[in-house]
Amino acid sequence: MEQTLVLLKPCTLQRGLVGEIISRFEKKGLRLAGMKMMQLTDAILNEHYAHLREKPFFQMLKDSMMATPVIACCLEGVEAVRVVRAMTGATNGRNADPGTIRGDYCVSNQQNIVHASDSLETAAVELARFFKPEEIFSYTPSNMNFMYALDER
Ligand code: IDP
Ligand code: MG
């Protein structure tokens, strides 16, 4: 099973969409292995968005991510990284396909509801950035035999 990081961004808290977004991941069948509210800082965002530090929108992006606390989630499932990215959709909500989270809930390139890790390697680094090991829980969902075939997990 893979684990991946999802951040519900400040726009999602402000717009009262937290439950709806988490519900989509739950209904899909991903296991919630960790979840917490946290206020992001300049330091953690400099790391998290290091690949964007030369972009003209970098400070604006960081400010938007510090506008309220965020909710960090660790989601688990077979190929969870790819599954969650597919559910998230293209970065710009105006380009994201209907049916994806960004396609259904936003019209912005920046205020785009969620962050989702983009590879297994990134997911490991990002989960360690946002969660202590003891904040990630392992438990077996009772419906596991109905979520996956025996040879899938
Ligand atoms: P991703 O979130 O789809 O992985 P990245 O390219 O990693 O996209 O960018 C991280 C975040 O930076 C995006 O989710 C979005 O909030 C913001 N961002 C990306 N490109 C732009 C832009 O051109 N203008 C404003 N914000 C942007
Ligand atoms: Mg990214």
Side-chain angles (χ1 to χ4, degrees):
M1 294 268 175
E2 292 179 9
Q3 293 186 333
T4 190
L5 175 79
V6 166
L7 299 177
L8 304 189
K9 297 187 176 188
C11 57
T12 306
L13 279 75
Q14 289 285 11
R15 293 176 54 200
L17 293 171
V18 169
E20 231 165 295
I21 302 304
I22 290 176
S23 179
R24 284 173 80 124
F25 293 122
E26 281 187 307
K27 286 177 191 160
K28 177 69 173 171
L30 293 154
R31 185 178 76 83
L32 199 48
M35 182 164 83
K36 65 174 175 177
M37 183 178 276
M38 54 196 298
Q39 176 60 50
L40 301 186
T41 61
D42 202 56
I44 200 167
L45 286 164
N46 281 338
E47 270 187 31
H48 185 64
Y49 284 136
H51 60 295
L52 299 172
R53 65 181 169 272
E54 306 300 337
K55 300 284 188 189
F57 58 83
F58 185 52
Q59 188 60 49
M60 193 173 62
L61 169 62
K62 289 194 295 178
D63 288 343
S64 78
M65 291 296 288
M66 293 187 284
T68 72
V70 300
I71 293 175
C73 301
C74 173
L75 295 173
E76 186 182 275
V78 173
E79 297 178 68
V81 174
R82 189 176 59 75
V83 168
V84 169
R85 280 291 282 196
M87 289 176 71
T88 297
T91 303
N92 185 334
R94 296 190 297 276
N95 301 332
D97 289 336
T100 64
I101 288 169
R102 287 165 171 171
D104 287 352
Y105 290 98
C106 72
V107 287
S108 171
N109 203 6
Q110 180 182 276
Q111 307 284 35
N112 58 2
I113 309 294
V114 289
H115 165 82
S117 305
D118 63 10
S119 71
L120 199 49
E121 297 68 34
T122 315
V125 172
E126 292 184 344
L127 284 168
R129 179 175 298 138
F130 289 92
F131 287 95
K132 298 180 190 133
E134 63 269 27
E135 292 172 333
I136 307 249
F137 297 87
S138 65
Y139 58 91
T140 306
S142 59
N143 60 3
M144 206 58 178
N145 289 344
F146 300 94
M147 303 297 285
Y148 295 105
L150 288 175
D151 64 353
E152 284 179 310
R153 55 187 167 91

